[in-house]
Amino acid sequence: MVSSSSNRGEKLPTLKLTVVQYGILLMMLALAGGLWRLQVLGAQNYRQLAEENRVRKEPIMAPRGKLFDRENRLIVDNYPSVTCFLVREQNHHVDADLPLIAQGLNLDLDQLRATLRRYRTSPGYQPIPIKEDITADEQAFIAAHKNELPELETIDVERRLYPRDGFAAHLIGYVGEVSEEDLNNPRFAYYEPGDVVGKAGVEETYDALLRGQDGSRDVIVDSHGREVGYLRTQHAVPGQDLRLTIDNDIQRAAEMALGNAPGAVIVMDPRNGNILAMVSHPSYDPNEFAVKINRADWNKLITDPLHPLMNKAIQDQLAPGSTFKIIMSAAGLEEGVAQNMHVMCNGGADFYGRFFKCDHHHGMLDIHEAIPMSCDTFFYTLAQKLGIDTIAKYAIEFGLSQKTGIDLPNEMSGIMPSTQWELKNFHQRYYPGNTISVGIGQGETQVTPIQLLRALSGLASDGHFVRPRVVDPNNQPTPIPADFQQALLDSFPGSGDKTVPLRPDTWMTITDGMAAATTPGLYHTAEEAHLDGVDFAGKTGTAQVVGGGDTHTKGGAKTPNAWFVGMVPRRNPEMAIVVLQEHGDWGSGSAMIAQRVVIAYVNKQRRLENNVLQQAGTSKPVEVGAVWSDPVSSDPQPSGRKGAIARMATVHAGHFFLDQAPEKPGTETAAPKALASETSALPEWLSESLLRFKENHN
């Protein structure tokens, strides 16, 4: 009995046993479910994580497209460089290593920590660029500390190489790392921290084409982060090369002509808007930005009172001075007011109870004399007759107070006052007395150099106004996509291409007056720009600054700004130029700067014409006309009218195509083919060649 009672006490109650059994079953089911979730549902995710533990993705940076001038001469290139990255997943205690990293890579410790804070929300596997263009010694430091600093990696990149001395810097622009502010802009929606983007000029406008597409390399690493092999490589796609419209020779001549004077020079082909040269001074060195400019140099640039980062060619907004008299002349002639105006200039005149001065006592004169003499009194009177709203109507029609639409960022629009403008901005009526000052390009009127150049060259082109451009889409090594071209037009709105119908006498009077201004004559304001044998027309402008009065101390803060706008030839020009010297005193000084650039342009055109037969690399024939006579014979010729007729009978004329195809050594130039008989002038440089042709083909 005792034994039986003892066995019953040792047995578990049935309920407890059942609970234990079901508990074990539930645990087994939970383990099985977790294993199924791990092995089946999460297989792909964990496989990817495991892959990332042994495979590291290294970026391959795409080289930016190169920039060439209009004649395919290299302007902006790339050079091989090494950038140091920090990969946090290789060491989760990076903060402790920062002092050693900063010391070995010659970095400021606080700046290094600030860089890492920028990437605090980025994935740990994302490389963080901490120093670009590292030296050989710094590469040796990284290799020597590979075991203790496994988070440091290097990558080969192509770094931007710009011309020296700030050559065309404002037109070209520069590149830099995308900032936090940029990343908040929808334009940079597809960029990531560390990406290099265009920050100004062509580099910014055409960044989407120039930057290319980065690639990557999957590197197999061991548990210590050491590379043991490569898995796959996605090659980078280089950026697209671009051919600019500028001419290196004209650009260099413009830079040298302006020298150290603060201001701007622009040279443009008014037939298509191609910018041949664009100078803004003072300039800066874009190479300083190519490898992350330091804070001290940046602060120096942005606090400089001469504003070296400002592209004064498209951003400087100043009173145009007497160059505005061409706009006034066009308005007066179109309105039928200026044709019959005769004004007596006695050194000025009274308007609205105030005496307005003129620089000289010009006497009685009309518009044909007022333009080359730049008589203030005449244009004071014309302004009074037209009124501010009529003046503004024509100025706006010719493109003032609006952007030109040039394909460069941050263009300014200027100011053209009117009664509506006064009411909108100052909530008051416009005082007629202010119109007198506007008539000579003073008062509230403000223009940019590119606006003024487009307006005056358009008037010289019989009302054909063009949109300036620094990249010609039709002259590219690789075609620019049509959607990108349309996006440019949408992103850079402005006055663009347009034709304004002009009366014939408007066009003739203005161009003849500007041509007279550059020829020697009494009170002709731009005679310093005269060039023998060159049809060079232009207009000077001396624009007073606010509070400047009549102070003429060159370079002083109160010294007037000096303008000149000119074109070659006077009508339907193929080249137009604007020169601005800030505080440069009289406009005649700017005219002399323009003259030097025009000389360089004309001399180059003559060289190209003289060497047309020696040009290689093209099979396009050159069309020429020629006139020649037979060699004079020893037979006596009758004198008088009969002799003249006899001599005329020996004169020949022809219309030819001269083949320019490259010659092989030892071969002769292909013979020109006479297409039609017609009389044409013979250029001196073709006389000898065509005479030989005539002798060989008689």
Side-chain angles (χ1 to χ4, degrees):
M1 293 291 295
V2 174
S3 176
S4 175
S5 175
S6 175
N7 289 338
R8 284 197 300 268
E10 291 178 358
K11 290 183 179 179
L12 290 173
T14 304
L15 180 61
K16 290 184 178 181
L17 183 59
T18 302
V19 170
V20 170
Q21 290 174 341
Y22 278 105
I24 293 173
L25 178 62
L26 289 173
M27 290 175 59
M28 295 297 294
L29 290 174
L31 289 173
L35 185 62
W36 182 79
R37 182 176 58 83
L38 185 68
Q39 295 292 332
V40 179
L41 293 181
Q44 183 61 34
N45 180 47
Y46 290 107
R47 185 180 295 112
Q48 182 177 349
L49 293 175
E51 188 77 11
E52 290 177 353
N53 284 334
R54 71 180 187 91
V55 177
R56 183 173 65 242
K57 189 176 290 291
E58 291 184 350
I60 300 177
M61 313 304 291
R64 287 182 74 85
K66 300 177 182 179
L67 299 180
F68 300 84
D69 85 331
R70 64 187 293 110
E71 296 179 359
N72 216 34
R73 291 174 289 187
L74 185 63
I75 301 177
V76 178
D77 199 358
N78 302 305
Y79 70 92
S81 175
V82 178
T83 294
C84 178
F85 286 84
L86 188 147
V87 185
R88 288 166 294 176
E89 69 171 355
Q90 300 297 336
N91 185 352
H92 297 289
H93 304 286
V94 171
D95 291 343
D97 295 337
L98 294 184
L100 177 60
I101 294 174
Q103 180 181 0
L105 297 181
N106 301 302
L107 291 170
D108 179 78
L109 181 57
D110 292 336
Q111 186 174 350
L112 177 59
R113 286 172 173 158
T115 301
L116 263 64
R117 283 196 296 271
R118 285 186 56 200
Y119 291 83
R120 61 185 177 273
T121 59
S122 302
Y125 60 82
Q126 180 177 337
I128 301 174
I130 59 174
K131 187 166 186 181
E132 302 168 332
D133 212 25
I134 62 175
T135 64
D137 291 342
E138 291 164 348
Q139 293 182 53
F141 166 81
I142 295 172
H145 294 78
K146 189 65 177 176
N147 290 331
E148 54 188 308
L149 298 175
E151 62 268 29
L152 294 185
E153 298 288 345
T154 59
I155 185 173
D156 295 331
V157 297
E158 294 280 335
R159 192 72 55 201
R160 218 56 167 152
L161 181 62
Y162 294 103
R164 298 172 57 189
D165 304 322
F167 179 85
H170 293 88
L171 184 148
I172 296 169
Y174 60 91
V175 296
E177 185 179 338
V178 63
S179 64
E180 292 185 42
E181 182 181 352
D182 291 335
L183 293 174
N184 295 326
N185 188 327
R187 173 174 168 249
F188 297 95
Y190 298 101
Y191 292 76
E192 297 179 354
D195 285 347
V196 174
V197 298
K199 290 284 190 176
V202 171
E203 293 278 26
E204 179 177 339
T205 300
Y206 293 88
D207 181 70
L209 296 180
L210 291 169
R211 73 185 308 262
Q213 184 176 348
D214 294 339
S216 63
R217 180 187 296 112
D218 292 340
V219 181
I220 303 174
V221 297
D222 60 17
S223 59
H224 298 286
R226 292 187 292 261
E227 297 182 5
V228 295
Y230 297 98
L231 191 61
R232 67 182 68 87
T233 299
Q234 180 181 353
H235 296 286
V237 179
Q240 180 175 331
D241 294 341
L242 287 179
R243 187 176 293 139
L244 308 182
T245 61
I246 67 169
D247 185 312
N248 275 359
D249 300 320
I250 309 304
Q251 178 74 26
R252 187 176 297 107
E255 302 233 8
M256 294 179 63
L258 185 61
N260 294 324
V265 177
I266 314 174
V267 182
M268 183 179 76
D269 186 340
R271 298 168 296 184
N272 50 33
N274 286 345
I275 299 297
L276 306 180
M278 179 179 287
V279 182
S280 179
H281 194 269
S283 189
Y284 61 91
D285 186 359
N287 292 295
E288 295 181 357
F289 294 88
V291 194
K292 191 177 290 186
I293 189 169
N294 62 58
R295 189 174 304 170
D297 290 339
W298 173 251
N299 289 335
K300 183 179 178 181
L301 284 172
I302 62 177
T303 57
D304 191 323
L306 295 178
H307 308 294
L309 292 178
M310 174 192 284
N311 186 353
K312 296 178 179 180
I314 64 173
Q315 293 178 305
D316 221 354
Q317 301 177 101
L318 300 169
S322 293
T323 58
F324 190 76
K325 293 172 182 176
I326 302 302
I327 305 291
M328 290 291 301
S329 299
L333 291 167
E334 287 296 298
E335 290 291 309
V337 174
Q339 286 88 339
N340 300 316
M341 272 184 58
H342 290 79
V343 175
M344 173 59 72
C345 174
N346 291 316
D350 288 300
F351 299 94
Y352 303 105
R354 176 187 165 192
F355 183 76
F356 288 81
K357 279 185 59 179
C358 184
D359 292 329
H360 300 285
H361 290 67
H362 294 105
M364 184 66 71
L365 74 173
D366 60 11
I367 193 168
H368 300 283
E369 299 161 314
I371 293 177
M373 294 184 180
S374 194
C375 176
D376 288 346
T377 306
F378 183 92
F379 289 98
Y380 291 149
T381 307
L382 181 58
Q384 184 188 40
K385 289 179 178 293
L386 292 175
I388 189 60
D389 286 334
T390 301
I391 297 172
K393 181 186 78 170
Y394 283 96
I396 294 171
E397 187 77 359
F398 300 150
L400 301 190
S401 79
Q402 53 195 307
K403 298 177 181 179
T404 65
I406 188 172
D407 49 344
L408 290 175
N410 305 316
E411 181 187 6
M412 303 302 289
S413 57
I415 296 173
M416 185 62 226
S418 65
T419 54
Q420 287 187 346
W421 176 86
E422 188 81 14
L423 185 63
K424 178 181 177 181
N425 290 277
F426 300 102
H427 308 289
Q428 63 184 18
R429 67 183 181 88
Y430 191 88
Y431 293 98
N434 295 340
T435 308
I436 308 304
S437 296
V438 171
I440 62 167
Q442 295 284 171
E444 302 95 336
T445 309
Q446 292 186 3
V447 302
T448 63
I450 190 69
Q451 281 179 332
L452 197 60
L453 179 64
R454 176 184 178 275
L456 268 61
S457 61
L459 289 172
S461 302
D462 196 16
H464 176 57
F465 299 84
V466 294
R467 178 193 297 268
R469 62 190 182 189
V470 297
V471 174
D472 182 357
N474 302 316
N475 183 31
Q476 296 301 319
T478 302
I480 295 179
D483 56 344
F484 186 88
Q485 295 185 45
Q486 185 59 48
L488 277 183
L489 297 177
D490 297 338
S491 301
F492 297 92
S495 45
D497 295 323
K498 67 183 299 187
T499 298
V500 179
L502 297 176
R503 296 164 54 137
D505 63 324
T506 299
W507 187 38
M508 297 295 181
T509 301
I510 287 175
T511 51
D512 288 344
M514 294 177 70
T518 61
T519 58
L522 183 64
Y523 303 137
H524 286 190
T525 55
E527 63 179 342
E528 292 86 352
H530 178 70
L531 290 170
D532 290 333
V534 178
D535 187 14
F536 185 22
K539 185 73 187 74
T540 58
T542 304
Q544 294 181 5
V545 298
V546 177
D550 291 325
T551 303
H552 289 282
T553 303
K554 188 169 183 178
K558 295 184 178 182
T559 306
N561 297 314
W563 291 91
F564 178 81
V565 183
M567 53 279 308
V568 177
R570 76 182 74 180
R571 282 189 274 274
N572 292 322
E574 62 184 48
M575 177 266 203
I577 181 171
V578 62
V579 177
L580 164 66
Q581 288 188 90
E582 291 180 340
H583 309 297
D585 205 4
W586 300 104
S588 56
S590 294
M592 289 188 284
I593 291 176
Q595 181 197 54
R596 294 174 59 186
V597 180
V598 171
I599 290 173
Y601 174 84
V602 171
N603 286 342
K604 178 165 186 176
Q605 298 307 306
R606 288 172 175 170
R607 286 197 304 272
L608 292 175
E609 292 173 358
N610 290 340
N611 294 329
V612 69
L613 292 179
Q614 284 74 41
Q615 291 180 1
T618 175
S619 60
K620 183 179 179 180
V622 178
E623 185 178 359
V624 296
V627 178
W628 69 85
S629 60
D630 289 333
V632 179
S633 66
S634 57
D635 298 334
Q637 294 284 354
S639 60
R641 184 171 181 271
K642 292 183 178 180
I645 294 174
R647 286 190 292 274
M648 288 175 61
T650 65
V651 175
H652 305 275
H655 189 196
F656 310 105
F657 280 108
L658 298 185
D659 193 356
Q660 294 187 84
E663 300 178 28
K664 296 180 180 180
T667 63
E668 297 182 357
T669 304
K673 180 181 179 182
L675 298 183
S677 179
E678 64 181 29
T679 302
S680 176
L682 177 64
E684 295 180 0
W685 54 274
L686 281 176
S687 58
E688 183 178 354
S689 299
L690 290 179
L691 281 175
R692 284 200 303 268
F693 157 72
K694 180 261 177 186
E695 293 171 358
N696 293 333
H697 292 79
N698 267 344

